[in-house]
Amino acid sequence: MKTVLFVCTGNICRSPMAEALFADMVKGRADVRVLSAGMGAVDGQAPSQQSVEVMAELGLNIKHHSSLALRPGLIDQATFIFTMTTQQRDVLHALYPESAEKIFALHDLEPVASHESPDIADPIGATVDVYRRTRDQIRAAMPAVKELVVSTPVAARYRVALAGDHGGVEMKESLKAWLAARGMPFTDLGSCSTEPVDYPDYAYKVAQAILTGAADRGVLICKSGIGMSIAANRFPGVRA
């Protein structure tokens, strides 16, 4: 399942229009989910009347849309994120650098004429004609969005082998919860106790999981990280 998230400021005009336009474009595809949110949104607000009106002209009903504030969880869930402006894109890149490769401004995919602003300006408070132009500007970008979304394969989820000595138990438990929340498969190879153990034994377990193909990546935890790295690097084909 690919999740496409459109982002604007208040999630009451531009991004709901983008959500509806793209949802209509991929209608019938069970492998694509479409959402929208706002960087400054308040949950539960209705869409602007003008946006409802101009979307109805295309036979699309957004009057039951309810605004949603952008949250880290939405960033994590999204396969692709499309903002309305360069500034919004750049802010999200700064706030979520680990997700920057999946965050685009709409004009990144559909460049506009050089004499025009590349951004999709906020029409809030403007006339219906302005909303209509905004709708059409967003609509023009949708084929390029679809091409990217449909043609990009879903990224493989790494199988992760986890291990730590007695000094790494607490951090390992937190990491397990983080991986589980994101649907990432993992194997806990110990230790599960704060009783003293020998860290090379656990470095060996993860190294073997990598070398045998049981895991794609490994995470080793000890108090400094140095001992685990040295122990794991004794195995040809493993680099910590």
Side-chain angles (χ1 to χ4, degrees):
M1 172 71 73
K2 299 174 185 178
T3 298
V4 179
L5 176 65
F6 293 99
V7 175
C8 68
T9 304
N11 194 219
I12 60 171
C13 53
R14 288 173 294 176
S15 58
M17 288 194 285
E19 178 185 357
L21 287 164
F22 192 67
D24 185 63
M25 181 170 281
V26 297
K27 185 167 52 181
R29 295 189 66 103
D31 61 334
V32 179
R33 179 174 65 148
V34 189
L35 304 171
S36 67
M39 296 173 65
V42 176
D43 287 349
Q45 289 191 320
S48 64
Q49 183 56 42
Q50 295 94 325
S51 63
V52 172
E53 182 176 336
V54 299
M55 293 303 289
E57 293 173 356
L58 301 180
L60 299 174
N61 182 1
I62 66 167
K63 67 181 180 180
H64 300 299
H65 171 79
S66 181
S67 63
L68 186 64
L70 185 64
R71 298 171 171 83
L74 288 173
I75 298 290
D76 291 338
Q77 292 174 30
T79 313
F80 301 95
I81 300 169
F82 298 100
T83 67
M84 302 296 117
T85 70
T86 302
Q87 183 181 36
Q88 290 165 348
R89 179 200 64 196
D90 292 347
V91 168
L92 292 185
H93 280 184
L95 291 175
Y96 305 99
E98 71 283 358
S99 298
E101 63 181 13
K102 65 182 181 182
I103 301 172
F104 307 87
L106 281 179
H107 65 75
D108 290 337
L109 306 182
E110 186 67 18
V112 299
S114 58
H115 64 278
E116 298 178 1
S117 170
D119 292 335
I120 297 174
D122 192 344
I124 199 74
T127 65
V128 171
D129 283 341
V130 172
Y131 271 84
R132 193 173 289 119
R133 288 196 295 272
T134 297
R135 177 203 65 192
D136 291 344
Q137 189 180 0
I138 295 170
R139 191 182 186 190
M142 291 298 106
V145 172
K146 182 180 179 181
E147 174 63 25
L148 176 64
V149 171
V150 171
S151 64
T152 303
V154 177
R157 292 184 178 273
Y158 286 123
R159 298 165 299 162
V160 182
L162 305 172
D165 66 4
H166 51 284
V169 172
E170 183 177 353
M171 183 179 289
K172 180 160 59 66
E173 289 302 309
S174 296
L175 182 55
K176 285 163 61 177
W178 189 91
L179 290 168
R182 287 154 181 79
M184 299 292 288
F186 64 87
T187 303
D188 185 353
L189 299 176
S191 168
C192 298
S193 167
T194 55
E195 292 297 317
V197 295
D198 293 328
Y199 64 79
D201 295 342
Y202 296 91
Y204 170 83
K205 290 182 179 183
V206 169
Q208 288 303 302
I210 298 295
L211 294 173
T212 61
D216 301 298
R217 294 291 188 272
V219 178
L220 291 165
I221 308 169
C222 66
K223 288 186 177 180
S224 69
I226 297 172
M228 282 290 200
S229 297
I230 293 172
N233 284 338
R234 294 174 64 89
F235 297 88
V238 171
R239 175 63 179 167

